[in-house]
Amino acid sequence: MKAQKGFTLIELMIVVAIIGILASVALPAYQDYTVRTRVSEGLTLASGAKAMVNEVATANDLTVAATTWNAQQGATGATSKYVNSVQIAAGTGVITVVYNKANVGAIPTDASLVLTPSVNVDGTAFVALATALGGDSSGVIDWACGSVTTAAATARSMPVNAGTLPAKYAPAECR
């Protein structure tokens, strides 16, 4: 008489249980990753607005740049499937990216990231762009990004405005 080959029922049940446990851990992580990927599209759209602020900041013409940018795409600045608007604040150059909850996923309605421009004066201190344009400060423009938290920008001693996007969905520079 030959012995049968194969797996016993208990061995198969153990394998199925292990796969179930792994799936229950991996699925939420994958969903968070998907939301983070969609959020990054907003920063890509904001790069055009950042370039516009960088170009006109030396010309002291922020209001015209903001008005021009904000008038695009039906007064939303820039949009996509995941982004409702990308707007530039006229007096400060601050850029606000507002996300589309219906398409992004598990974020609050009208969640936003805020990009705050500042001038790196003498490589040592940061001054808000509006302050630098109104005074004698000069230097390189740098950008701080804020979600609900602003720890990364605060650690660099940069002026930053907080957004409303939960930090777990924001890129590392925006947490």
Side-chain angles (χ1 to χ4, degrees):
M1 185 172 193
K2 281 183 147 183
Q4 291 187 359
K5 295 180 182 177
F7 296 106
T8 64
L9 181 59
I10 192 72
E11 290 171 332
L12 291 174
M13 289 175 58
I14 290 171
V15 168
V16 168
I18 290 171
I19 290 172
I21 291 169
L22 290 175
S24 69
V25 171
L27 189 59
Y30 176 74
Q31 289 171 334
D32 287 354
Y33 172 76
T34 303
V35 171
R36 271 190 234 112
T37 301
R38 293 172 179 166
V39 164
S40 69
E41 183 173 309
L43 293 178
T44 302
L45 286 175
S47 64
K50 287 170 61 174
M52 184 172 264
V53 170
N54 286 339
E55 288 174 16
V56 301
T58 55
N60 227 356
D61 210 1
L62 236 99
T63 302
V64 173
T67 303
T68 303
W69 175 269
N70 295 342
Q72 299 180 100
Q73 299 288 326
T76 60
T79 62
S80 74
K81 179 178 179 181
Y82 305 117
V83 177
N84 285 338
S85 68
V86 176
Q87 298 279 293
I88 302 172
T92 61
V94 171
I95 299 169
T96 304
V97 180
V98 179
Y99 292 93
N100 182 340
K101 176 184 176 41
N103 293 333
V104 171
I107 61 172
T109 302
D110 293 332
S112 64
L113 284 178
V114 179
L115 304 168
T116 308
S118 58
V119 175
N120 190 342
V121 182
D122 300 329
T124 57
F126 291 96
V127 176
L129 179 61
T131 304
L133 292 176
D136 294 333
S137 300
S138 65
V140 178
I141 295 178
D142 201 351
W143 292 87
C145 183
S147 58
V148 170
T149 60
T150 59
T154 304
R156 294 178 58 201
S157 301
M158 297 179 77
V160 63
N161 298 312
T164 59
L165 182 75
K168 76 177 193 174
Y169 298 123
E173 69 190 52
C174 300
R175 294 183 191 153

